[in-house]
């Protein structure tokens, strides 16, 4: 039995049945206190999903955490800067009309949410690590273009690795067909 405190309980109440069915647990809501009952693994998954949902991610995005390849990370902006005016740092992360945040999401293939003095990231483990590096660089004052270049360079490296693996697999098939 796990207990969480969730801010968005009204939205949670409307989606309770859907969540219980998808997560395989029972959810009890009393005020902002949410209790999860079920098998240990399902409780852990439900805790991760509800934590992301409580942070502000849409329910469909939070439910992606049920996939074992996906993770949710929280970063405190205060841990990476000494600036007192965190609004300036948050505005650098979000960008004009959300353009910086959206660009990082598209390049890194992750979901990002900026709330209060924290940044939440949902994505595959490898993608989240690169996104954390990019976001911390932005918080510390790097230019947006340099952060985009970093992420695009990582994507290019991954594509090249994928091509090499596919090429090796094709070569193995050719070799195995000759030996048969």
């Amino acid at each position: 039995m796990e207990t969480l405190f969730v801010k968005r309980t009204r939205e949670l109440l409307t989606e309770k049945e859907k969540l219980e069915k998808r997560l395989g647990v029972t959810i009890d809501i009393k005020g902002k206190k949410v209790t999860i009952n079920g098998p240990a693994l399902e409780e852990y998954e439900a805790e991760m999903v509800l934590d992301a949902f409580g942070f502000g991610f849409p329910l469909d995005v939070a439910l992606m955490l049920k996939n074992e390849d996906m993770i949710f990370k929280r970063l405190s902006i205060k841990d990476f800067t000494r600036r007192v005016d965190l609004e300036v740092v948050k505005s650098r992360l979000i960008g004009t009309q959300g353009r910086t945040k959206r660009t990082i999401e598209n390049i890194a293939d992750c979901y990002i949410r900026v709330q209060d003095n924290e940044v939440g990231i949902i994505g595959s483990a490898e993608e989240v690590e690169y996104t954390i590096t990019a976001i911390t660089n932005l918080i510390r004052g790097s230019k947006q273009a340099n952060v985009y270049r970093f992420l695009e360079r990582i994507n290019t490296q991954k594509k090249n690795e994928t091509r090499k693996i596919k090429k090796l697999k094709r070569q193995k098939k050719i070799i195995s067909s000759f030996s048969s």
Side-chain angles (χ1 to χ4, degrees):
M1 182 166 83
E2 291 291 325
T3 303
L4 299 166
F5 290 95
V6 179
K7 294 177 186 174
R8 299 166 53 196
T9 53
R10 182 171 289 154
E11 293 173 53
L12 190 60
L13 279 169
T14 60
E15 302 291 340
K16 180 182 171 189
E17 288 180 28
K18 177 182 174 183
L19 274 172
E20 287 179 338
K21 202 177 285 184
R22 296 267 312 262
L23 296 172
V25 296
T26 58
I27 300 171
D28 296 321
I29 304 169
K30 293 180 182 170
K32 296 203 182 285
K33 184 178 174 182
V34 178
T35 307
I36 306 166
N37 290 315
L41 181 61
E42 281 80 9
E43 273 187 16
Y44 175 74
E45 288 176 345
E47 183 180 358
M48 294 294 292
V49 168
L50 290 176
D51 190 27
F53 178 75
F55 188 81
F57 284 100
L59 187 60
D60 295 337
V61 174
L63 281 169
M64 292 172 66
L65 291 169
K66 194 158 169 43
N67 181 346
E68 62 187 36
D69 297 334
M70 303 295 274
I71 62 171
F72 170 59
K73 288 279 188 179
R74 274 183 201 237
L75 298 176
S76 175
I77 294 173
K78 293 178 182 178
D79 292 344
F80 301 102
T81 186
R82 293 182 183 165
R83 295 183 77 145
V84 179
D85 55 344
L86 294 178
E87 291 299 317
V88 173
V89 177
K90 284 172 48 176
S91 64
R92 280 181 47 76
L93 286 172
I94 297 169
T96 305
Q97 297 179 346
R99 190 176 299 153
T100 301
K101 178 181 144 305
R102 198 169 37 252
T103 303
I104 292 174
E105 284 178 329
N106 291 336
I107 295 173
D109 197 28
C110 288
Y111 295 91
I112 301 171
R113 184 85 177 176
V114 179
Q115 186 173 358
D116 299 328
N117 295 325
E118 290 185 314
V119 179
I121 307 167
I122 293 179
S124 68
E126 189 176 355
E127 303 294 340
V128 167
E129 291 305 316
Y130 297 135
T131 306
I132 288 172
T133 303
I135 287 174
T136 55
N137 287 343
L138 258 180
I139 292 171
R140 290 181 177 141
S142 293
K143 294 180 180 177
Q144 278 93 344
N146 291 341
V147 170
Y148 302 156
R149 197 172 307 118
F150 163 75
L151 290 171
E152 287 172 349
R153 188 176 69 238
I154 296 295
N155 279 344
T156 304
Q157 288 172 355
K158 283 193 286 183
K159 285 179 185 175
N160 289 338
E161 288 174 14
T162 305
R163 285 183 189 141
K164 287 179 185 178
I165 291 170
K166 285 181 181 178
K167 186 177 179 182
L168 287 173
K169 285 181 180 179
R170 276 187 263 141
Q171 289 174 350
K172 271 186 168 180
K173 284 182 181 179
I174 293 171
I175 292 171
S176 66
S177 66
F178 284 126
S179 62
S180 299

